[in-house]
Amino acid sequence: MQYIYILDKHIGNCGFKYLDTDYPELWIYIGEEEEKNKGFATKACEQLITFFQKTYYKPYLYLHVLKTNTIALKLYKKLGFEIIESQERDKEIWKESIDLVYTMRKKL
């Protein structure tokens, strides 16, 4: 997990999970409302993706986003993620909440 700071102020966290699988996943959140929509998540995601590509040599990077989170959905599409059909693994993890999220994948 990485902390996201702007001028010594902690505004969010980000990182990866499931790195030991074929479905490595990026996650991020900006918790401070006044810091949202300022490009910080975009910059953090770009850095995470670059790091991931140089370090893990996997063909895809995945993420999940709430269907109602239109701002994040727009960001992820801008970064090259595409909505894909949820896999069995996603359904096992998300269980009854799977209908609330999109599974997204970026080809690296």
Side-chain angles (χ1 to χ4, degrees), residues 13-108:
N13 297 325
C14 58
F16 301 105
K17 53 187 176 181
Y18 313 122
L19 288 171
D20 59 341
T21 73
D22 291 333
Y23 300 97
E25 189 170 321
L26 177 147
W27 63 271
I28 184 169
Y29 72 88
I30 304 296
E32 299 289 331
E33 285 299 321
E34 64 271 11
E35 302 302 345
K36 292 183 179 181
N37 297 315
K38 293 185 176 179
F40 300 133
T42 301
K43 188 67 172 170
C45 284
E46 289 170 345
Q47 291 177 358
L48 284 168
I49 292 166
T50 298
F51 172 81
F52 182 85
Q53 287 176 303
K54 291 179 179 178
T55 307
Y56 292 101
Y57 309 105
K58 298 205 178 198
Y60 296 101
L61 183 58
Y62 296 83
L63 59 80
H64 291 90
V65 59
L66 285 172
K67 291 179 178 179
T68 57
N69 192 343
T70 56
I71 293 170
L73 188 57
K74 181 179 174 184
L75 164 65
Y76 298 140
K77 286 181 177 181
K78 181 173 95 174
L79 293 171
F81 285 88
E82 298 177 325
I83 296 172
I84 63 168
E85 187 173 328
S86 296
Q87 307 296 303
E88 283 304 313
R89 182 177 189 286
D90 301 321
K91 294 172 186 173
E92 290 173 16
I93 293 169
W94 286 88
K95 300 185 183 347
E96 63 276 353
S97 298
I98 192 64
D99 291 334
L100 302 177
V101 298
Y102 287 121
T103 300
M104 299 186 81
R105 176 177 74 186
K106 177 179 177 64
K107 184 171 175 42
L108 302 173

